[in-house]
């Protein structure tokens, strides 16, 4: 039987009293999580949710999330994770597109969910911190709880994860029970070597594929403790690192930068910290080196997408790591570079990353044309441009869509950003193309400067100009208090708008 929820049943049977999920003083053992999820599965069944039906989760990182997630899977239904910050119109689209019958929400987000449900008929289930609130679902006798998962096939859909929709409406990537089980296994065993003695920092949102697979599903599979933070805050993260003796930290680059630059960083107790994993976007080398030196840990950078469950490549701890790269393809996965026609690119040249293997999604929900476009020949086209060395280590150059063409010359924003991040007074940077009558596109840079810094934007511009070819340095540069970020803290270049140059 393949049902992903079988991992929870096995772990609860093996170490029933061990703390599985922690949120500050609230602790949930593996057996308690299993019982709570089994009750939810029975309640869903009682209101007519059948195997294959879709159930939405609009929940932050609280214990109710794993309860509803695994309860839905135990019942054989499909989980549709959603960002709690979505508004009614956005929620309505996801409800309508997925056909969600039920939606678990916290009270803070219930108003928007109810507005959306009025148009779709989705049943809203309001939750407390640990599961459905009293009276929201019918009571089920103890002997009717669903302790054993409904049987599912390898390629049955377990989760529909909606992509960010950079081109048109978001599409739902269908990830199977097998996809998610194997990717969590690879993440735990092959990459981070996680055991039940580990404590994983749960600051990545569980509605995002990185936090879902590498945080929640990996913890459940291995029996490690997942210490949740409902919404990332560097001060809280520093507190939890020491308080809970965190051994595994998983985050996106902006999280590492926020902790590194926080006033409390010098007081952080990271004595238990063993391994850090970074993904979601390219980690600036300057941030990686400074974090590793300050906190005496190793950062392993990897790569993946919603469509790849997510992990596709990683710097493995048992092999040489190469800072600035996304490592090599993980076991069970192949990666190569292709040109626009799908031909393999010659050695040393930039190409689009193509991926195939056990981690590739089943397809986009109800989007056969989009699926064919993304996986035309069994290889998933990532949209990311990279190079690969003779040892198989890939280096991301940029998103295909983010490349700037200045006067016919290609400028890769990440290369410019790497230089910006080496400036001591630049905390964050995003490089984007700005329309230009003469050049077609001009290189623009939005930066967040260190508070109290006397550095001017002209100083920063000169700094980059001295370190890059003349056509690459930003002719437009402006300062922001904060850069636009997605739910994981990933900087969203597509939302950076040209500001006023100082």
């Amino acid at each position: 039987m393949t049902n992903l929820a079988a991992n929870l049943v096995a772990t609860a049977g093996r170490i029933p009293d061990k703390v599985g999920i922690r949120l500050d003083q609230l602790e949930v053992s593996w057996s308690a999580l299993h019982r709570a999820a089994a009750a939810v599965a029975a309640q869903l069944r009682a209101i007519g949710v059948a195997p294959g039906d879709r159930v939405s989760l609009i929940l932050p990182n609280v214990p109710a999330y794993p309860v509803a997630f695994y309860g839905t899977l135990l019942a054989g239904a499909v989980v549709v994770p959603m960002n709690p910050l979505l508004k009614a119109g956005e929620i309505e689209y996801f409800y309508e597109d997925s056909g969600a019958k039920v939606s678990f929400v916290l009270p803070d987000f219930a108003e928007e969910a109810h507005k959306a449900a009025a148009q779709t008929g989705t049943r809203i289930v309001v939750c407390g911190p640990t599961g459905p609130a009293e009276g929201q679902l019918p009571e089920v006798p103890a002997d009717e709880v669903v302790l054993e998962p409904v049987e599912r096939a390898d390629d049955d859909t377990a989760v529909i994860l909606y992509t960010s929709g950079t081109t048109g409406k978001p599409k739902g990537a269908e990830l199977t029970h097998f996809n998610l089980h194997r990717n969590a296994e690879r993440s735990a065993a092959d990459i981070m070597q996680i055991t039940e003695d580990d404590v994983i920092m749960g600051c990545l949102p569980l509605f995002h594929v990185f936090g879902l697979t590498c945080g929640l599903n990996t913890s459940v599979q291995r029996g490690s403790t997942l210490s949740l933070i409902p919404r990332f805050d560097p001060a809280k993260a520093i507190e939890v690192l020491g308080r809970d003796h965190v051994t595994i930290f998983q985050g996106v680059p902006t999280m590492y930068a926020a902790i590194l630059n926080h006033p409390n960083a010098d007081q952080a107790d990271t004595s238990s910290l063993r391994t850090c994993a970074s993904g979601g976007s390219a980690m600036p080398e300057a941030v990686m080196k400074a974090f590793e030196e300050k906190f005496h840990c190793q950062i392993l950078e990897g790569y993946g997408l919603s469509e790849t469950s997510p992990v596709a490549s990683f710097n493995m701890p048992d092999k040489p790591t190469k800072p600035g790269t996304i490592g090599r393809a993980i076991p069970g996965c192949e990666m190569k570079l292709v040109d626009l026609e799908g031909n393999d690119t010659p050695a040393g040249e930039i190409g689009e990353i193509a991926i195939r293997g056990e981690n590739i999604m089943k397809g986009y929900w109800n989007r056969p044309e989009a699926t064919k476009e993304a996986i035309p020949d069994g290889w998933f086209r990532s949209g990311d441009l990279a190079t690969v060395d003779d040892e198989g280590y890939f280096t991301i150059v940029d998103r295909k869509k983010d490349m700037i063409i200045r006067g016919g010359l290609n400028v890769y924003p990440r290369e410019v950003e790497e230089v910006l991040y080496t400036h001591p007074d630049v905390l964050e940077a995003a490089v984007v193309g700005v329309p230009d009558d003469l050049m077609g596109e001009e290189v623009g840079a939005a930066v967040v400067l260190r508070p109290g810094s006397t550095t001017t934007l002209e100083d920063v511009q000169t700094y980059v100009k001295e370190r890059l070819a003349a056509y690459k340095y930003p002719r437009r540069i402006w300062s922001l208090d904060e850069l636009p970020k997605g739910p994981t803290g990933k900087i969203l270049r597509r939302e950076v708008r040209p500001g006023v140059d100082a």
Side-chain angles (χ1 to χ4, degrees):
M1 180 165 59
T2 307
N3 193 320
L4 185 65
N7 290 329
L8 175 59
V9 178
T11 297
R14 189 177 79 252
I15 43 174
D17 299 326
K18 183 177 183 294
V19 174
I21 306 294
R22 176 179 290 140
L23 175 62
D24 292 330
Q25 306 313 310
L26 179 58
E27 296 181 342
V28 182
S29 69
W30 288 120
S31 60
L33 179 59
H34 180 208
R35 286 195 306 273
V40 165
Q43 291 172 315
L44 289 173
R45 183 179 289 176
I47 61 170
V49 172
D53 285 345
R54 275 75 62 206
V55 174
S56 151
L57 271 56
I58 306 182
L59 299 167
N61 287 14
V62 295
Y65 197 103
V67 168
F69 181 85
Y70 278 95
T72 300
L73 294 181
L74 281 167
V78 177
V79 180
V80 183
M82 291 163 58
N83 186 338
L85 300 181
L86 294 174
K87 297 300 183 184
E90 298 164 305
I91 296 170
E92 184 183 333
Y93 168 76
F94 290 122
Y95 283 172
E96 189 71 49
D97 191 72
S98 67
K101 276 192 170 183
V102 178
S103 184
F104 292 94
V105 304
L106 279 194
D108 291 357
F109 316 113
E111 183 180 350
E112 298 293 326
H114 276 294
K115 286 180 193 171
Q119 305 301 317
T120 64
T122 304
R123 178 166 177 163
I124 304 300
V125 177
V126 178
C127 295
T130 58
E134 192 172 344
Q136 288 290 301
L137 288 170
E139 290 299 318
V140 176
D143 60 349
E144 290 183 18
V145 298
V146 185
L147 291 168
E148 293 297 325
V150 170
E151 191 163 339
R152 305 305 285 158
D154 271 8
D155 65 348
D156 279 336
T157 304
V159 171
I160 298 175
L161 271 170
Y162 279 87
T163 62
S164 52
T166 51
T167 54
K169 289 282 193 183
K171 302 183 292 288
E174 290 188 76
L175 302 179
T176 67
H177 289 269
F178 180 74
N179 287 153
L180 291 166
H181 171 82
R182 290 295 281 168
N183 208 245
E185 197 168 59
R186 299 297 189 191
S187 300
D190 297 318
I191 300 167
M192 287 175 280
Q193 299 169 348
I194 291 169
T195 72
E196 63 188 55
D197 296 325
D198 280 306
V199 178
I200 300 176
M201 171 77 90
C203 57
L204 286 164
L206 299 180
F207 60 80
H208 188 272
V209 68
F210 189 2
L212 178 65
T213 292
C214 301
L216 178 58
N217 291 343
T218 294
S219 296
V220 168
Q221 195 175 90
R222 306 299 276 197
S224 47
T225 298
L226 182 66
S227 189
L228 296 174
I229 296 178
R231 194 171 181 186
F232 179 75
D233 172 74
K236 185 66 177 178
I238 289 168
E239 175 196 330
V240 172
L241 278 167
R243 185 197 70 196
D244 293 352
H245 308 293
V246 170
T247 61
I248 307 287
F249 183 90
Q250 301 166 347
V252 296
T254 53
M255 291 180 178
Y256 289 95
I259 291 171
L260 183 66
N261 293 306
H262 195 272
N264 297 349
D266 290 339
Q267 285 76 53
D269 175 8
T270 57
S271 55
S272 59
L273 194 59
R274 184 179 88 244
T275 303
C276 298
S278 179
S281 59
M283 165 79 83
E285 281 193 57
V287 174
M288 179 185 286
K289 287 176 181 173
F291 195 96
E292 288 183 331
E293 286 174 13
K294 189 173 189 67
F295 299 118
H296 310 292
C297 61
Q298 181 184 35
I299 297 177
L300 303 175
E301 190 170 9
Y303 167 79
L305 308 96
S306 296
E307 294 91 340
T308 61
S309 303
V311 186
S313 69
F314 237 95
N315 279 275
M316 309 293 184
D318 59 340
K319 296 182 177 68
T321 59
K322 293 189 179 182
T325 78
I326 54 170
R328 311 196 304 181
I330 65 170
C333 172
E334 297 174 82
M335 286 172 50
K336 67 177 182 177
L337 300 180
V338 298
D339 61 19
L340 290 174
E341 283 74 46
N343 303 310
D344 292 4
T345 56
E349 290 194 14
I350 293 169
E352 180 179 3
I353 295 176
I355 308 163
R356 73 176 177 187
E358 62 192 20
N359 54 339
I360 300 300
M361 67 172 180
K362 185 176 176 177
Y364 291 116
W365 174 255
N366 290 337
R367 301 278 204 290
E369 295 82 9
T371 301
K372 182 66 178 170
E373 185 181 341
I375 317 174
D377 50 9
W379 290 85
F380 170 74
R381 301 298 199 273
S382 68
D384 288 309
L385 301 175
T387 58
V388 61
D389 67 17
D390 54 8
E391 293 182 290
Y393 286 78
F394 287 79
T395 300
I396 295 282
V397 175
D398 241 305
R399 288 291 294 170
K400 194 161 62 172
K401 299 181 185 72
D402 289 342
M403 186 174 72
I404 301 166
I405 303 177
R406 181 185 185 273
L409 297 174
N410 294 347
V411 179
Y412 298 100
R414 188 195 168 189
E415 183 183 8
V416 185
E417 288 167 0
E418 285 282 354
V419 175
L420 284 164
Y421 272 104
T422 64
H423 190 290
D425 287 328
V426 174
L427 295 182
E428 292 181 348
V431 172
V432 296
V434 179
D436 183 83
D437 291 339
L438 181 61
M439 291 294 176
E441 278 187 300
E442 195 50 270
V443 181
V447 296
V448 177
L449 296 175
R450 189 177 300 279
S453 162
T454 57
T455 296
T456 66
L457 292 175
E458 288 81 2
D459 293 337
V460 176
Q461 190 176 43
T462 301
Y463 179 87
V464 179
K465 187 176 180 179
E466 291 169 352
R467 289 162 174 79
L468 286 177
Y471 70 92
K472 294 180 183 177
Y473 81 87
R475 298 317 201 267
R476 294 282 313 278
I477 186 166
W478 60 96
S479 177
L480 295 174
D481 293 333
E482 187 178 6
L483 292 180
K485 298 183 180 70
T488 62
K490 176 181 176 180
I491 292 169
L492 299 178
R493 280 203 200 113
R494 67 179 183 272
E495 292 188 13
V496 173
R497 302 284 179 265
V500 178
D501 300 90

